[in-house]
Amino acid sequence: MRIVIERGLPPVMIDRVQIQQVMINLIKNAAEAMEHSALRELTLEVCRASPDLLQVSVVDSGPGISEEVRDRLFKPFVSDKVHGMGMGLSICRGIVEAHGGRLWLEANPARGSIFRFTIPMDVGHGE
Ligand SMILES: Nc1ncnc2c1ncn2[C@@H]1O[C@H](COP(=O)(O)OP(=O)(O)O)[C@@H](O)[C@H]1O
Ligand SMILES: [Mg+2]
């Protein structure tokens, strides 16, 4: 796994346990998606998307996500796994939105998927 973290990021106020759950689910999904891929590349990127927005990206080289699944992806009970609950992404989005951020899917131009989420950063407001 490749991890790229931008230098000099300001602190963020988060519920560590909840954001950890988001990370675990995204990484687990990526790993499971790449199970049968010849190329298994997982990249984690943390950067500043705008002055007060932290952005985390989980990039995989799996098969990607069909348009049909994409539309229902964040709904509960959508899973293509034998023991999958399909709750993961719907819970992840709920957690991120409760933090004031957003969670979305992008197609990986190389191949695979990119899940990104943002969290507002504590950069102070002029005091
Ligand atoms: N990185 C990914 N690559 C391909 N498909 C994915 C990826 N992440 C999620 N999916 C698809 O979205 C579905 C829902 O994911 P999730 O809500 O975490 O539930 P679960 O992991 O229990 O199936 C998965 O079953 C899979 O079909
Ligand atoms: Mg999952």
Side-chain angles (χ1 to χ4, degrees), residues 25-34 58-66 69 72-92 105 112-115:
N25 188 59
L26 295 181
I27 291 168
K28 201 158 170 277
N29 279 350
E32 286 167 354
M34 295 190 292
V58 179
V59 184
D60 72 56
S61 63
I65 296 173
S66 69
V69 175
R72 301 176 296 126
L73 198 58
F74 293 95
K75 298 209 175 100
F77 309 115
V78 172
S79 176
D80 63 2
K81 297 166 195 171
V82 182
H83 298 290
M85 284 281 290
M87 295 301 289
L89 287 174
S90 111
I91 292 172
C92 288
L105 166 76
S113 318
I114 306 176
F115 282 86

Side-chain angles (χ1 to χ4, degrees), residues 20-123:
Q20 194 175 353
Q21 284 311 306
V22 173
M23 298 301 303
I24 289 169
N25 188 59
L26 295 181
I27 291 168
K28 201 158 170 277
N29 279 350
E32 286 167 354
M34 295 190 292
E35 204 176 358
H36 303 293
S37 305
L39 177 69
R40 288 180 207 158
E41 250 173 28
L42 181 56
T43 306
L44 221 99
E45 285 170 18
V46 185
C47 70
R48 196 172 192 153
S50 69
D52 58 357
L53 215 51
L54 184 81
Q55 179 173 283
V56 179
S57 308
V58 179
V59 184
D60 72 56
S61 63
I65 296 173
S66 69
E67 222 165 292
E68 193 259 327
V69 175
R70 211 176 304 160
D71 295 335
R72 301 176 296 126
L73 198 58
F74 293 95
K75 298 209 175 100
F77 309 115
V78 172
S79 176
D80 63 2
K81 297 166 195 171
V82 182
H83 298 290
M85 284 281 290
M87 295 301 289
L89 287 174
S90 111
I91 292 172
C92 288
R93 178 170 268 181
I95 291 173
V96 168
E97 288 180 352
H99 280 74
R102 290 204 309 122
L103 168 66
W104 70 96
L105 166 76
E106 281 176 25
N108 187 344
R111 81 197 318 272
S113 318
I114 306 176
F115 282 86
R116 293 195 210 277
F117 68 88
T118 50
I119 300 282
M121 291 190 293
D122 186 17
V123 287

Side-chain angles (χ1 to χ4, degrees), residues 4-10 46-48 54:
V4 185
I5 301 175
E6 188 178 316
R7 282 164 185 270
L9 293 170
V46 185
C47 70
R48 196 172 192 153
L54 184 81

